[in-house]
Amino acid sequence: MMPQFLSTRDAGFEEAFRVLLAQKREDSPDVDAAVAAIIADVRERGDAALVELTERFDRVRLTPETLRISDDEIERLCAQVPEAEREALGLAAERIRAYHARQMPRDESFTDSLGATLGWRWTPVSAAGLYVPGGLAAYPSSVLMNAVPAKVAGVKRLVVTVPTPDGVANPLVLLACRVAGVDEVFRIGGAQAIAALAYGTGAVRPVDKITGPGNAYVAAAKRRVFGKVGIDMIAGPSEILVIADRDNDPDWIALDLLSQAEHDESAQALLVTDDEGFGRAVAEAVGRRLETLPRRAIAGASWRDFGAVVTVRSLDEAAEIADRIAAEHLELLVGDPEALASRISHAGAMFLGPWTPEAIGDYIGGPNHVLPTARTARFSSGLSVMDFLKRTTVSRMTPAALAALGPHAETLAKAERLEAHGMSVRARLDRING
Amino acid sequence: MMPQFLSTRDAGFEEAFRVLLAQKREDSPDVDAAVAAIIADVRERGDAALVELTERFDRVRLTPETLRISDDEIERLCAQVPEAEREALGLAAERIRAYHARQMPRDESFTDSLGATLGWRWTPVSAAGLYVPGGLAAYPSSVLMNAVPAKVAGVKRLVVTVPTPDGVANPLVLLACRVAGVDEVFRIGGAQAIAALAYGTGAVRPVDKITGPGNAYVAAAKRRVFGKVGIDMIAGPSEILVIADRDNDPDWIALDLLSQAEHDESAQALLVTDDEGFGRAVAEAVGRRLETLPRRAIAGASWRDFGAVVTVRSLDEAAEIADRIAAEHLELLVGDPEALASRISHAGAMFLGPWTPEAIGDYIGGPNHVLPTARTARFSSGLSVMDFLKRTTVSRMTPAALAALGPHAETLAKAERLEAHGMSVRARLDRING
């Protein structure tokens, strides 16, 4: 099972690389009409709709009182988590907290030469909702990556919704909620959970911002409630780009590529190297490792359909290629990874040197693992405390500052034919001038 | 022509206030199908589509060569701008630049106790497009408010599109482009301009991010190209909330309210005061000033349909009301405006004291005038340099750091059934452990 091999030396490279970049990896089923109906139902009937939809989709019979998972129940389920997982989760939360605490922006206030005082203040979103998928794709690490930054930002009320198909809750997900300081947990999912978070029901009070991953229904629901509440990015399939020279163990690179490929058949794992033989060796190592992998069907399909090995003439060329790909995850396994990193602008997260497999960043490094996909790292960033903060600008003029600036504001207001704007300044200038 | 009067003392206040908050002020015509067709046409036919659509909508015959406004033509048109406007625009640009330069975030890199080096780097978007409306609503101030932050952020290629209906360009808009350092100006507008910026044509190279205001077609086109490129917020009608005590000149407050009302029949001007008589006096002053206003039809309709005077028992109550409204513009004209400001979390921009009419912020204060509307200040912020920057996180582990963290990452990977993730860590741990 071999991926695509490209070389910048080939005459057809530019064309082939453009096709690779433009490749559509995801079929988004059109679920918008179904989602619109679900949202309308939740807005109209509230808890009754949540109870009914949860029975239909998750095969769980609830009442408005049992939509929320009680603290006792969370306690009981958390007690099932093995000690090693408990310890790992605690350490991960602590490291994510320490990293994100450094992201907190500062307020600013300064007085300029005219005496005008200007600045801004950051304040947290009052209430945030975090969607957590249920079932197999329930990732406790994602709970930490969303919830910890929200709490670091100062969000007072943090609500999780997580579906419990057939009534089965994931203890490690609930422990992650507890460790991260989540305030309320509801056992609901799908578009109905997003509707409840955005508009509120009897049991669920509305929030101001919704983050977290989800399937096509959840994504469509987030798009629909955007504006009423804030949302985070809508993430596509995961990607990794590894830039590696020949001084690496092909087996390590193979495993790094497979750790993205195993996420999803639509995931993409790319290798860029300046040594064609090394590229072949990595591809062979991928083949060997694939055989042993529990998720080999998924990882194999991803590698076959979307994987690629690109041979470049130089690391300068590798940097150019990397900027054009703008990968979600970028590993740099070269002699001087810092130097190469400084020549690349577009990537969600960079992992430098042979001892930094991307999986460390997924769990425990400290930086966020919610990152821009599908080349959107050209213009967007991973999740951070900024997603849970907003900035209010503050201005205060003195009579002297207004006397200096007011006439120019009046000139521009007149030029834009906004007379009342000019008059609101002029009335004050007349008082100042006597 | 009187607005709505409310008082928190009234039995029906809560209900009436909820209605006020939920009021829909904007009819967005459904232009999505038309916009989809225009975008498809531009993607397929490029410059030929731009030329044809511009002739149809703007009554201007262009060629692929004249889509761009040449530097000579810009020069010639800029020379028509009167000296007073030139001076005002220059001062505004300088103040906006100085304010936004303070927003530039810092890179971070630190080494933790395990020896792991973590941090992040900010880099600018490579190319940005700024949509500027044409005709009467052509606001040179908006050009500065979008273009200056982009250039402060370090955007290398900044492209403006501005329609020139009947071939008429606005010299002050072009001067604003020049003053702000815009690199290319195209005389195209509507959904076709957004399509050209997002996908590129022969004459227009694509950009990575599009900002700027526009009509329903432009807004729909921005929504459609989002994902392919980044976009800023989709702004709704303008709003102002003034909190004023009786120690103010009712005429000044009236003019401040009217300076929002004159923007648009859907704009909203609200007064909150702790003195009912003062509220009445302001409403009367609005009536008097309206008669003299060139835009009295627009301002009058806005004030009649969406204006309100709310009497509160105390400034504490005013702060609560302000947070529920989450206004785009918030003026605080009370004895201690800083104290009141510190009790309010949700607002796009605050203007403190009697000498800071909001119009100063529209033009020349320094802070941005592109601000969150329609209660979205609960979760979003005004335009800033951050809109033109993105953050890449950076991690580098040492063997010692990986030895300490790796086993926990492996534990969590196994718990999430992502075996290759665990194996990519394990292969390295085995090497470290010998």
Side-chain angles (χ1 to χ4, degrees):
Chain A
M1 193 175 301
M2 279 292 164
Q4 190 178 175
F5 287 85
L6 301 177
S7 167
T8 56
R9 285 194 168 82
D10 296 345
F13 172 77
E14 185 55 33
E15 173 62 21
F17 185 65
R18 274 177 204 264
V19 169
L20 183 74
L21 280 185
Q23 208 172 20
K24 194 171 157 57
R25 286 186 282 132
E26 208 179 15
D27 277 332
S28 331
D30 190 4
V31 298
D32 198 50
V35 163
I38 290 172
I39 293 175
D41 191 21
V42 172
R43 288 185 70 175
E44 199 182 307
R45 297 195 300 133
D47 288 341
L50 289 181
V51 167
E52 209 175 288
L53 291 162
T54 302
E55 179 161 10
R56 189 192 317 163
F57 293 120
D58 298 333
R59 300 160 304 279
V60 189
R61 293 196 73 156
L62 301 172
T63 65
E65 291 69 36
T66 58
L67 284 168
R68 181 166 170 184
I69 308 184
S70 73
D71 289 347
D72 283 354
E73 196 173 348
I74 293 175
E75 189 85 44
R76 232 171 19 247
L77 285 158
C78 286
Q80 300 175 6
V81 174
E83 183 53 30
E85 291 178 15
R86 184 180 299 275
E87 195 188 330
L89 205 67
L91 180 62
E94 188 188 302
R95 291 186 60 87
I96 297 164
R97 198 172 286 127
Y99 182 89
H100 287 77
R102 289 176 181 258
Q103 291 179 332
M104 286 297 285
R106 290 166 314 164
D107 292 351
E108 170 82 321
S109 180
F110 62 99
T111 301
D112 69 15
S113 58
L114 300 176
T117 300
L118 302 170
W120 59 82
R121 276 172 47 205
W122 291 97
T123 48
V125 166
S126 297
L130 163 54
Y131 188 88
V132 179
L136 268 186
Y139 293 145
S141 58
S142 286
V143 175
L144 296 185
M145 291 292 179
N146 281 270
V148 170
K151 280 296 176 181
V152 169
V155 172
K156 287 233 176 57
R157 183 171 157 259
L158 180 56
V159 183
V160 160
T161 63
V162 56
T164 57
D166 300 305
V168 181
N170 181 323
L172 199 55
V173 161
L174 292 173
L175 184 61
C177 290
R178 165 147 306 185
V179 166
V182 169
D183 300 289
E184 304 165 16
V185 184
F186 291 88
R187 60 185 117 222
I188 53 177
Q192 60 272 25
I194 301 296
L197 289 171
Y199 292 99
T201 66
V204 187
R205 279 181 300 143
V207 301
D208 301 302
K209 173 120 190 182
I210 300 175
T211 71
N215 63 17
Y217 288 82
V218 172
K222 281 168 71 180
R223 279 185 198 277
R224 280 206 161 253
V225 302
F226 175 58
K228 166 69 178 154
V229 299
I231 62 168
D232 62 345
M233 68 193 89
I234 309 270
S238 196
E239 312 145 4
I240 190 169
L241 168 60
V242 180
I243 301 180
D245 60 25
R246 78 176 77 180
D247 299 331
N248 282 285
D249 185 333
D251 186 54
W252 293 11
I253 307 296
L255 287 170
D256 295 358
L257 294 168
L258 286 170
S259 74
Q260 287 310 303
E262 75 172 342
H263 267 296
D264 191 337
E265 293 186 3
S266 309
Q268 183 163 52
L270 304 173
L271 171 65
V272 169
T273 178
D274 55 1
D275 184 310
E276 190 164 350
F278 179 77
R280 298 266 164 203
V282 169
E284 280 157 28
V286 168
R288 280 193 301 274
R289 284 289 193 173
L290 257 176
E291 285 169 29
T292 72
L293 219 56
R295 295 167 74 94
R296 59 181 162 273
I298 292 169
S302 155
W303 180 240
R304 180 192 64 217
D305 296 340
F306 303 115
V309 175
V310 181
T311 306
V312 291
R313 291 187 190 83
S314 66
L315 291 183
D316 275 338
E317 249 185 21
E320 273 172 48
I321 296 273
D323 265 344
R324 291 180 67 184
I325 293 171
E328 182 190 14
H329 303 101
L330 175 62
E331 284 189 5
L332 304 180
L333 291 96
V334 296
D336 186 349
E338 276 84 5
L340 183 55
S342 72
R343 300 214 293 279
I344 298 172
S345 293
H346 308 322
M350 294 187 187
F351 304 88
L352 310 191
W355 305 104
T356 322
E358 185 274 324
I360 284 289
D362 280 342
Y363 293 113
I364 206 156
N368 212 288
H369 80 197
V370 181
L371 293 165
T373 58
R375 305 190 61 225
T376 60
R378 291 173 297 123
F379 54 80
S380 62
S381 312
L383 199 74
S384 77
V385 297
M386 309 296 277
D387 291 282
F388 300 98
L389 295 166
K390 65 269 183 337
R391 187 189 50 242
T392 300
T393 60
V394 183
S395 307
R396 180 166 196 168
M397 298 289 144
T398 57
L402 189 67
L405 295 175
H408 300 292
E410 205 184 357
T411 297
L412 292 171
K414 281 183 180 157
E416 293 187 354
R417 301 180 202 181
L418 293 171
E419 299 290 335
H421 283 66
M423 289 159 72
S424 73
V425 174
R426 173 50 49 194
R428 281 141 166 123
L429 291 177
D430 287 346
R431 180 82 51 92
I432 293 170
N433 296 327
Chain B
M1 195 175 303
M2 278 291 165
Q4 189 177 176
F5 286 85
L6 301 176
S7 168
T8 55
R9 286 195 166 81
D10 296 346
F13 172 76
E14 185 57 33
E15 173 61 22
F17 185 64
R18 275 177 203 264
V19 169
L20 183 73
L21 281 186
Q23 207 172 21
K24 192 169 159 57
R25 286 187 281 132
E26 208 179 16
D27 277 332
S28 333
D30 189 3
V31 298
D32 198 49
V35 163
I38 290 171
I39 293 175
D41 192 20
V42 172
R43 288 186 70 174
E44 199 182 306
R45 297 195 300 133
D47 287 342
L50 290 182
V51 166
E52 208 176 289
L53 292 162
T54 302
E55 179 161 9
R56 189 191 316 161
F57 293 121
D58 299 334
R59 301 159 303 280
V60 189
R61 293 195 73 156
L62 301 173
T63 65
E65 291 67 36
T66 57
L67 284 168
R68 180 164 171 185
I69 308 185
S70 72
D71 289 348
D72 281 355
E73 196 173 347
I74 293 175
E75 190 84 43
R76 232 171 20 247
L77 284 158
C78 286
Q80 300 175 7
V81 175
E83 183 53 31
E85 290 177 17
R86 184 180 299 273
E87 193 187 333
L89 205 66
L91 180 62
E94 187 188 304
R95 292 186 59 87
I96 296 165
R97 198 172 287 128
Y99 181 88
H100 288 76
R102 290 176 180 258
Q103 290 179 331
M104 285 298 285
R106 289 166 313 164
D107 291 350
E108 171 81 320
S109 180
F110 63 98
T111 302
D112 69 15
S113 59
L114 300 176
T117 301
L118 302 171
W120 60 81
R121 277 172 47 205
W122 290 96
T123 47
V125 166
S126 297
L130 163 54
Y131 188 89
V132 179
L136 268 186
Y139 294 144
S141 58
S142 286
V143 175
L144 296 185
M145 291 292 179
N146 281 270
V148 171
K151 280 295 176 182
V152 169
V155 172
K156 286 232 177 56
R157 184 172 156 259
L158 180 56
V159 183
V160 159
T161 64
V162 55
T164 57
D166 299 305
V168 181
N170 181 323
L172 199 54
V173 161
L174 292 174
L175 184 61
C177 290
R178 165 145 304 186
V179 166
V182 169
D183 300 289
E184 305 165 16
V185 184
F186 292 89
R187 59 187 117 222
I188 54 176
Q192 60 272 24
I194 300 297
L197 289 170
Y199 292 99
T201 66
V204 186
R205 279 180 299 144
V207 301
D208 301 302
K209 172 119 190 183
I210 301 175
T211 70
N215 64 18
Y217 288 82
V218 171
K222 281 169 71 180
R223 279 186 197 278
R224 280 205 161 254
V225 300
F226 175 58
K228 166 69 177 151
V229 299
I231 63 167
D232 62 344
M233 68 193 90
I234 309 269
S238 196
E239 312 147 2
I240 191 170
L241 167 60
V242 180
I243 301 181
D245 61 24
R246 77 175 78 180
D247 299 330
N248 281 284
D249 185 334
D251 186 54
W252 293 10
I253 307 297
L255 286 170
D256 295 356
L257 294 168
L258 286 171
S259 73
Q260 287 310 305
E262 75 172 340
H263 268 294
D264 191 337
E265 292 186 3
S266 309
Q268 183 163 54
L270 304 173
L271 171 65
V272 169
T273 178
D274 55 1
D275 184 310
E276 189 163 350
F278 178 78
R280 299 267 163 201
V282 169
E284 280 158 26
V286 168
R288 279 193 303 273
R289 284 289 193 173
L290 259 176
E291 284 170 29
T292 73
L293 218 56
R295 295 169 74 93
R296 60 182 162 272
I298 293 169
S302 155
W303 180 240
R304 180 193 65 217
D305 295 340
F306 303 114
V309 175
V310 181
T311 305
V312 292
R313 292 186 188 85
S314 65
L315 291 184
D316 275 338
E317 249 184 22
E320 273 171 50
I321 296 273
D323 265 344
R324 291 180 66 183
I325 293 171
E328 182 190 13
H329 303 101
L330 175 61
E331 284 189 5
L332 304 180
L333 291 97
V334 296
D336 186 349
E338 275 85 3
L340 182 56
S342 71
R343 301 215 292 277
I344 298 172
S345 293
H346 308 323
M350 295 187 187
F351 304 87
L352 310 191
W355 305 103
T356 322
E358 185 274 324
I360 284 289
D362 280 342
Y363 293 112
I364 205 155
N368 212 288
H369 81 196
V370 181
L371 294 164
T373 58
R375 304 190 61 225
T376 60
R378 291 173 298 124
F379 54 81
S380 62
S381 312
L383 199 72
S384 76
V385 296
M386 309 296 278
D387 290 282
F388 300 99
L389 295 167
K390 65 267 184 334
R391 187 189 48 242
T392 300
T393 61
V394 184
S395 307
R396 179 165 197 168
M397 297 289 141
T398 58
L402 189 67
L405 296 175
H408 300 293
E410 205 183 359
T411 297
L412 292 171
K414 281 183 180 157
E416 294 187 354
R417 302 182 201 179
L418 294 171
E419 299 290 335
H421 283 65
M423 289 159 73
S424 72
V425 173
R426 172 50 50 194
R428 284 148 167 114
L429 291 177
D430 287 345
R431 180 82 51 93
I432 293 170
N433 298 327

